[in-house]
Amino acid sequence: QVQLAESGGGSVQAGGSLRLSCTISGGGYTSSCMGWQRQIPGREREGVAAIDSDGDTTYADFVQGRFKIFKDNAQNTLYLEMSNLKPEDTAMYYCAAPFVPGRRCILSRYEYHYWGQGTQVTVSS
């Protein structure tokens, strides 16, 4: 069974940057597609970005070129690099993996079965 552990969240001012990391252990997910999701209090969890096994990426419309998802398979680590952060980006961010290692992942939260504990991102104006 895969285990996911996020880190890198924090508090920044609008316009700032953060890099989130997710260490992946167990389950043969080294080359699998993966995703980042987020949850704003009072709202449903939503997809932020997804990366396929071949490195192709998909982003939510609200990202608008500000985030980059990438994966270091040698280090079994998934990243989300975020820049030009806005107060509306304030949320708990989760690393997510599908039920079985896959080639392509979509943004929908229903794609994912395994979740990390989350890392909080707070952006102040």
Side-chain angles (χ1 to χ4, degrees):
Q1 180 173 334
V2 65
Q3 294 180 326
L4 308 172
E6 304 94 336
S7 61
S11 296
V12 297
Q13 291 190 325
S17 300
L18 284 172
R19 176 185 280 195
L20 306 184
S21 300
C22 172
T23 55
I24 307 159
S25 58
Y29 281 77
T30 300
S31 300
S32 176
C33 64
M34 301 278 294
W36 285 97
Q37 301 268 313
R38 71 183 189 183
Q39 188 159 21
I40 298 168
R43 293 174 55 174
E44 293 185 344
R45 197 167 294 188
E46 61 183 354
V48 177
I51 184 166
D52 293 339
S53 60
D54 59 3
D56 285 348
T57 56
T58 305
Y59 296 95
D61 290 343
F62 61 76
V63 170
Q64 297 177 327
R66 300 178 296 127
F67 299 174
K68 179 183 177 183
I69 183 172
F70 59 100
K71 195 161 175 260
D72 185 336
N73 289 339
Q75 298 295 323
N76 285 334
T77 304
L78 178 72
Y79 297 95
L80 183 68
E81 203 159 68
M82 305 186 293
S83 60
N84 193 19
L85 283 161
K86 305 175 182 180
E88 51 264 43
D89 293 318
T90 295
M92 185 72 80
Y93 284 73
Y94 297 90
C95 170
F99 182 65
V100 294
R103 190 170 64 90
R104 296 199 182 279
C105 283
I106 60 175
L107 291 175
S108 170
R109 66 184 186 273
Y110 299 109
E111 173 80 273
Y112 303 98
H113 182 78
Y114 298 105
W115 302 82
Q117 81 285 354
T119 187
Q120 178 68 37
V121 171
T122 302
V123 185
S124 57
S125 57

